[in-house]
């Protein structure tokens, strides 16, 4: 297994990440191999523009039915917004991974 050193986000999340309002990301099975204690370079999904680095704090499995208001708050959105975004990105998926991270300050 190769430990990922890059992570992408849709550009609409950039400001929330840089301001510290977004402190987790919820990914599917294909992105569960982030390692606690590793540092990743973050880029926009749309054009690959790098904009920060994050330290991975935790990677925890979660089922769709267990997503709650706490997760939504860490994503800086409401629970209904969070579930809508996840189902848009990962249609028909029910098993996910919560990647908690901390912004690396310069």
């Amino acid at each position: 297994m190769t430990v990922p050193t890059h992570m992408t986000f849709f550009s609409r999340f950039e400001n929330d990440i840089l301001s510290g309002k977004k402190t987790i990301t919820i990914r599917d099975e294909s992105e569960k191999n982030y390692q606690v204690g590793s540092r990743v370079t973050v880029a926009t999904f749309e054009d690959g523009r790098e904009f920060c680095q994050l330290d991975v704090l935790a990677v925890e499995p979660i089922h769709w039915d267990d997503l709650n208001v706490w997760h939504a708050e860490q994503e800086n959105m409401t629970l209904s917004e969070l579930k809508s975004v996840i189902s848009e990105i990962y249609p028909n998926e029910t098993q996910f991974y919560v990647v908690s991270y901390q912004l690396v300050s310069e």
Side-chain angles (χ1 to χ4, degrees), residues 6-83:
H6 285 80
M7 184 182 289
T8 60
F9 287 89
F10 290 110
S11 59
R12 67 181 186 240
F13 297 124
E14 181 176 354
N15 288 337
D16 283 351
I17 294 166
L18 294 175
S19 69
K21 292 178 182 173
K22 178 173 167 49
T23 60
I24 66 169
T25 184
I26 298 172
R27 303 296 172 112
D28 71 355
E29 179 87 15
S30 71
E31 293 189 79
K32 71 176 186 179
N33 293 329
Y34 290 100
Q35 295 296 303
V36 173
S38 67
R39 182 166 286 181
V40 295
T41 299
V42 178
T44 56
F45 176 78
E46 294 87 346
D47 60 10
R49 179 181 49 80
E50 294 179 357
F51 64 90
C52 73
Q53 289 190 314
L54 300 174
D55 286 334
V56 177
L57 304 177
V59 181
E60 302 166 317
I62 191 165
H63 190 272
W64 171 263
D65 295 333
D66 295 324
L67 291 170
N68 60 44
V69 171
W70 182 87
H71 297 104
E73 288 171 351
Q74 304 313 301
E75 291 268 15
N76 196 34
M77 55 183 82
T78 66
L79 184 55
S80 61
E81 287 172 327
L82 175 61
K83 287 196 166 191

